[in-house]
Amino acid sequence: MKKYFILAIFGIFMLTGCGAGATKTMSCSYKNTAGNLTTKMTYKIDYQDTAVKKVRIAYDYHMNENTQMDGVGTGTDGTTNDTQNDNDGIIDGVVGSAIDSVINGITSTILDISGLRERHNNVQSMYGNINGFSVQNTNDATDNDYHVSYIIDYDTISDNDLNTLNLSRDIDTLRRNYTSQGFTCGE
């Protein structure tokens, strides 16, 4: 009788996800304000043991209308290049470095919500046909706010496509990559 009781307790333990191999979620976030634009990026990574199962990425942009900014370097005529470089964190971090190359490149651009929307539309048209990569939600109810979410399903996406997006199947590698970019990660 004791043997069955111990097996029943062990079975309950495993069913509740408390045993080895339970799915866990790591969250990584980064927030930056540059000029009149605040960007918040959140990565939620589901993993089992060290194998990544799904990555959900959310980008929230908010343009503060009360901040006076001409948007370019020293001039007010819109013709002088910005002095900012691509490492300012405004829109870094989209999925992997392949998509970063589409989103980045803001050095000679007055950055606003419509420009960000256009850059994310480019990402979606370039990578939208990848099996396992999808846009979950886009919301731009106002001119000053824009939200876009991506989902990467690791059970569906191929290794070649992961390499294209510069992503790893290993949670420890992803954690190192995100923390090295300035993200704060935790369980």
Side-chain angles (χ1 to χ4, degrees):
M1 183 72 150
K2 247 185 194 179
K3 183 177 178 182
Y4 292 117
F5 180 72
I6 291 172
L7 286 174
I9 296 295
F10 180 73
I12 291 170
F13 184 73
M14 293 302 289
L15 288 174
T16 60
C18 296
T23 300
K24 297 178 183 177
T25 302
M26 178 179 72
S27 294
C28 296
S29 62
Y30 180 77
K31 185 175 180 179
N32 184 49
T33 299
N36 63 346
L37 183 69
T38 299
T39 302
K40 183 177 180 192
M41 296 171 278
T42 307
Y43 287 65
K44 293 197 182 278
I45 302 116
D46 295 338
Y47 66 99
Q48 192 171 22
D49 296 324
T50 61
V52 175
K53 297 297 182 183
K54 185 178 285 189
V55 176
R56 293 175 307 283
I57 307 159
Y59 294 88
D60 289 292
Y61 302 101
H62 176 72
M63 183 79 68
N64 183 355
E65 289 182 355
N66 296 327
T67 304
Q68 295 297 320
M69 177 180 158
D70 80 21
V72 280
T74 57
T76 57
D77 60 357
T79 59
T80 308
N81 277 349
D82 279 335
T83 57
Q84 299 172 334
N85 62 29
D86 284 349
N87 296 323
D88 60 9
I90 292 175
I91 46 180
D92 291 339
V94 178
V95 182
S97 62
I99 296 177
D100 281 343
S101 66
V102 176
I103 299 295
N104 286 336
I106 61 168
T107 56
S108 61
T109 304
I110 297 174
L111 192 58
D112 59 9
I113 296 294
S114 64
L116 290 167
R117 187 180 303 114
E118 181 180 326
R119 289 169 192 253
H120 278 283
N121 286 339
N122 287 340
V123 167
Q124 294 162 23
S125 65
M126 286 180 68
Y127 300 105
N129 64 342
I130 293 177
N131 196 20
F133 176 81
S134 61
V135 178
Q136 180 186 23
N137 182 20
T138 26
N139 183 358
D140 54 354
T142 70
D143 290 337
N144 296 329
D145 295 288
Y146 180 60
H147 170 86
V148 62
S149 298
Y150 298 96
I151 296 177
I152 301 163
D153 184 350
Y154 276 62
D155 291 334
T156 307
I157 197 165
S158 72
D159 288 336
N160 286 338
D161 289 332
L162 278 178
N163 287 334
T164 299
L165 296 173
N166 195 28
L167 290 171
S168 172
R169 291 191 182 274
D170 179 68
I171 188 67
D172 297 324
T173 302
L174 285 182
R175 182 182 293 114
R176 278 190 304 275
N177 288 345
Y178 295 142
T179 56
S180 72
Q181 294 178 41
F183 283 76
T184 301
C185 296
E187 302 293 315

